[in-house]
Amino acid sequence: WYDSKSNRWGFACCESTKRAGPGCVAVQSDAEAGKAEEQKEEPKLEWRSRDEFETSEGFVAHASMYFARRWLELLRDGTLAARADALDPEVKKALLSEAAAKEAIRAVK
């Protein structure tokens, strides 16, 4: 943004030419943004069959999100922990990690 009255470049969002002035838009850290995202309650995702999608890509995207969100649900309700003893230790470590489940959901989005 250019202020023709003062012949200076500035910020279009607040039409200010002062660099050290207060910010006009609240800035959120990555950690704060992640917490806000986690606190959002998303509607329950229902399984949809392949024939409900025009493309295989659409079905794969749906299935990936369904499995990632289901993973987090089963982790939180204790189902995975109760059945994880038979798994390879490295698989068990990843599967029982809430951080890994949340990362999978973010990646699929």
Side-chain angles (χ1 to χ4, degrees):
W1 175 77
Y2 186 76
D3 182 4
S4 57
K5 290 180 184 175
S6 66
N7 294 322
R8 296 181 71 185
W9 287 100
F11 304 93
C13 53
C14 57
E15 295 187 359
S16 174
T17 57
K18 296 180 182 176
R19 177 181 262 184
C24 61
V25 178
V27 178
Q28 202 175 39
S29 72
D30 288 343
E32 290 170 332
K35 283 182 183 178
E37 186 69 27
E38 287 174 20
Q39 291 173 350
K40 272 197 244 175
E41 272 301 314
E42 297 201 30
K44 183 148 176 77
L45 187 62
E46 298 295 325
W47 179 256
R48 294 171 55 196
S49 65
R50 168 60 182 99
D51 58 338
E52 294 183 50
F53 294 88
E54 289 184 28
T55 64
S56 57
E57 291 85 358
F59 175 68
V60 169
H62 162 73
S64 298
M65 180 55 77
Y66 177 85
F67 291 135
R69 287 175 57 184
R70 190 73 178 123
W71 174 13
L72 188 57
E73 288 173 16
L74 295 173
L75 182 61
R76 287 179 173 168
D77 75 8
T79 301
L80 288 179
R83 299 181 181 180
D85 288 336
L87 297 173
D88 175 274
E90 288 301 310
V91 173
K92 181 178 175 180
K93 181 179 172 183
L95 197 58
L96 296 180
S97 166
E98 188 165 331
K102 288 177 181 178
E103 181 181 350
I105 291 170
R106 280 193 302 275
V108 171
K109 283 183 181 179

